[in-house]
Amino acid sequence: MLITSYNPTELGDTLIAILRPDTADQKIETHQNVTRISDTATGETLGYNFFDVSKTLGQLEVNGQVHLTAEQVDQLNQLLTANDFEAELVVDDDPKFVVGYVESAEAHPKSDHLKVTKTRVSDTETVQIVSGSPNMAADILVVVAKVGAMMPDGLIIWPGELRGIESDGMIVSGRELKLPNAPQRPGALILPADYQPVGEPFDFKRAQTLFDA
């Protein structure tokens, strides 16, 4: 997993690279302009902060999530090696927002408002997602934020549980995707049945007019 973001207004010329979810006990190690954050218990890398990153990657014309190229990841790995860290960054070009099809939506055994869905996200992959959307039902086309997705508000989708039931991803609303004119209330974004094939990356550009009157 590799999730990167750049917010020069808040953090200056710093690239944040996230590899794993946060843990309670962390170790911080800084060499020159690179800081490694790791899990104290396992030693696994949780993420890196790359300071003065424009010296390595050039000017980043981004404010938010950064989708790095293979060349840029290689440049960061060279920077890690030069600073006595492991070159462990791997390109992640798997689409994280895809069109999904809800095959089933059953009542959560420990909740009166949650639904446990089986949602197809490709021809070969169906995931279990717990949803609190009041309009959740079987046989609808939706947008799925897969594990590793960064939402527009900065929330990262990790594997988790809701009331003891495993949930791998999130069925999202137009409001959560910050689409223009989206209803400002809870509820999954239900796409027209022929909007896009299941498993395709969600077309954010096309969706800018989805809620036009």
Side-chain angles (χ1 to χ4, degrees), residues 59-205:
Q59 190 64 42
L60 295 173
E61 301 296 335
V62 179
N63 188 11
Q65 186 171 11
V66 181
H67 299 284
L68 297 175
T69 66
E71 180 182 2
Q72 289 173 319
V73 171
D74 184 58
Q75 289 173 321
L76 292 176
N77 274 327
Q78 291 180 42
L79 181 60
L80 289 175
T81 301
N83 284 280
D84 299 321
F85 290 120
E86 180 184 352
E88 60 179 316
L89 304 185
V90 178
V91 177
D92 184 358
D93 55 9
D94 179 44
K96 295 299 187 291
F97 292 92
V98 300
V99 175
Y101 175 73
V102 180
E103 296 179 342
S104 65
E106 306 293 338
H108 191 295
K110 297 181 180 179
S111 170
D112 59 3
H113 73 281
L114 295 175
K115 295 285 184 65
V116 182
T117 78
K118 298 294 183 184
T119 301
R120 181 157 42 93
V121 294
S122 76
D123 290 340
T124 59
E125 184 182 11
T126 298
V127 295
Q128 179 170 283
I129 299 175
V130 179
S131 173
S133 296
N135 59 344
M136 186 50 55
D139 196 29
I140 58 174
L141 205 65
V142 295
V143 181
V144 175
K146 298 175 67 176
V147 170
M150 176 181 282
M151 297 294 290
D153 65 0
L155 173 71
I156 296 174
I157 306 301
W158 298 111
E161 291 185 355
L162 285 174
R163 302 279 183 93
I165 299 294
E166 180 181 341
S167 185
D168 291 315
M170 179 179 176
I171 297 172
V172 297
S173 67
R175 173 174 58 95
E176 290 165 330
L177 295 175
K178 298 194 181 300
L179 297 179
N181 303 314
Q184 298 301 299
R185 59 179 182 271
L189 169 56
I190 300 177
L191 299 170
D194 59 350
Y195 191 77
Q196 280 184 254
V198 172
E200 277 198 356
F202 180 60
D203 190 339
F204 277 90
K205 183 176 180 180

